[in-house]
């Protein structure tokens, strides 16, 4: 399913289905670049476009909040600082002592919002920020070399293991970075920075060879 088809399906759930919507990197036409561009290189890039992004804030010491969130997500909220969990199509990233970023399939974001309202009680906050950011995956033999140009984080596996999450300055912008494999990372970036970071990633990867994946 293409970006446009996914967004059309999402928008059809809203009052005005005529409003167009696009991935933050829609203008880059990554699908065409994946077909026509280089097939070998040290850095691979893929946008996981149009996911549902929810920001949950609640009390980690409230057992009712923890139980309610687990019933909705099918997995317990990660409580260890800078940690994350993934279960099926749901990923939950710890971003502060009382805040988590939840990523779900785009067409399911509204369903999760409804479930949270049914299961959670008391003082908590759930905000759908899906339209304001996107998820970019970078991987490959030289991905750490490229990332070292962009952020002060230490990516040695002994201090930044698989599953670790960190919010950081990234090329004078900002990103939430999660390691998902020895040579594989996910970056949550804001829509307003997407074009700038797309240009930066191209330039930073130039010496290693950049491969766009569909």
């Amino acid at each position: 399913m293409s970006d446009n088809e996914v967004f059309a399906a999402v928008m059809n759930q809203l009052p005005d289905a005529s409003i167009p919507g696009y991935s933050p990197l829609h203008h880059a036409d990554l699908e065409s670049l994946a077909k026509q561009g280089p097939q070998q290189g040290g850095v691979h890039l893929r946008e996981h476009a149009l996911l549902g992004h929810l920001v949950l804030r609640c009390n980690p010491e409230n057992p009712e909040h923890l139980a309610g969130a687990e019933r909705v997500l099918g997995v317990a909220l990660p409580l260890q600082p800078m940690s994350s969990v993934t279960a099926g199509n749901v990923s939950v990233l710890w971003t502060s002592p009382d805040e988590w970023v939840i990523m779900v399939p785009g067409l399911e974001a509204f369903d999760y919002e409804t479930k949270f309202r049914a299961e959670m009680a008391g003082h908590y906050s759930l905000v759908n920020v899906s339209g304001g950011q996107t998820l970019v995956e970078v991987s490959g033999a030289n991905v750490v070399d490229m990332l070292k140009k962009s952020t002060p984080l230490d990516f040695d596996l002994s201090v930044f293991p698989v599953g670790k999450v960190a919010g950081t300055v990234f090329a004078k912008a900002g990103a939430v970075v999660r390691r998902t494999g020895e040579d594989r990372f996910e970056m949550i970036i804001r829509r307003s920075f997407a074009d700038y970071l797309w240009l930066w990633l191209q330039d930073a990867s130039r010496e290693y060879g950049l491969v766009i994946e569909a």
Side-chain angles (χ1 to χ4, degrees), residues 41-201:
V43 179
H44 291 236
L45 182 147
R46 173 184 298 182
E47 183 191 18
H48 292 275
L50 309 179
L51 292 176
H53 294 242
L54 305 172
V55 175
L56 172 67
R57 301 200 69 172
C58 66
N59 183 357
E61 297 181 358
N62 184 329
E64 293 183 358
H65 281 178
L66 298 182
E70 186 170 358
R71 285 193 298 271
V72 172
L73 299 172
V75 65
L77 294 175
L79 301 180
Q80 184 68 24
M82 306 176 79
S83 64
S84 65
V85 296
T86 296
N89 291 324
V90 176
S91 292
V92 187
L93 286 60
W94 184 102
T95 52
S96 81
D98 66 349
E99 182 176 316
W100 296 263
V101 173
I102 301 165
M103 291 182 291
V104 300
L107 297 179
E108 299 178 18
F110 303 115
D111 292 336
Y112 276 97
E113 287 187 86
T114 300
K115 291 176 183 177
F116 265 105
R117 294 191 179 98
E119 293 288 348
M120 299 282 280
H123 183 68
Y124 78 98
S125 169
L126 183 73
V127 181
N128 188 332
V129 296
S130 305
Q133 55 194 38
T134 191
L135 182 70
V136 172
E137 181 184 90
V138 288
S139 60
N142 296 109
V143 68
V144 171
D145 299 315
M146 182 276 290
L147 290 173
K148 286 179 179 178
K149 298 180 181 182
S150 312
T151 174
L153 291 176
D154 184 351
F155 290 108
D156 189 275
L157 276 167
S158 64
V159 296
F160 206 106
V162 173
K164 185 172 181 177
V165 177
T168 183
V169 173
F170 193 96
K172 298 184 180 180
V176 175
V177 180
R178 176 170 72 144
R179 190 176 212 140
T180 57
E182 183 173 350
D183 296 318
R184 187 175 299 274
F185 297 82
E186 292 177 346
M187 300 191 305
I188 300 174
I189 59 176
R190 293 184 181 179
R191 175 177 287 272
S192 57
F193 293 143
D195 184 61
Y196 163 69
L197 288 175
W198 161 237
L199 296 173
W200 174 276
L201 290 168

Side-chain angles (χ1 to χ4, degrees), residues 25-39 45 198 202 210-214:
L25 291 178
H26 171 79
H27 69 285
D29 195 7
L30 298 182
E31 291 186 10
S32 295
L33 291 175
K35 296 176 183 177
Q36 302 169 9
Q39 302 299 306
L45 182 147
W198 161 237
Q202 290 179 80
L210 178 63
V211 178
I212 305 301
E213 297 182 353

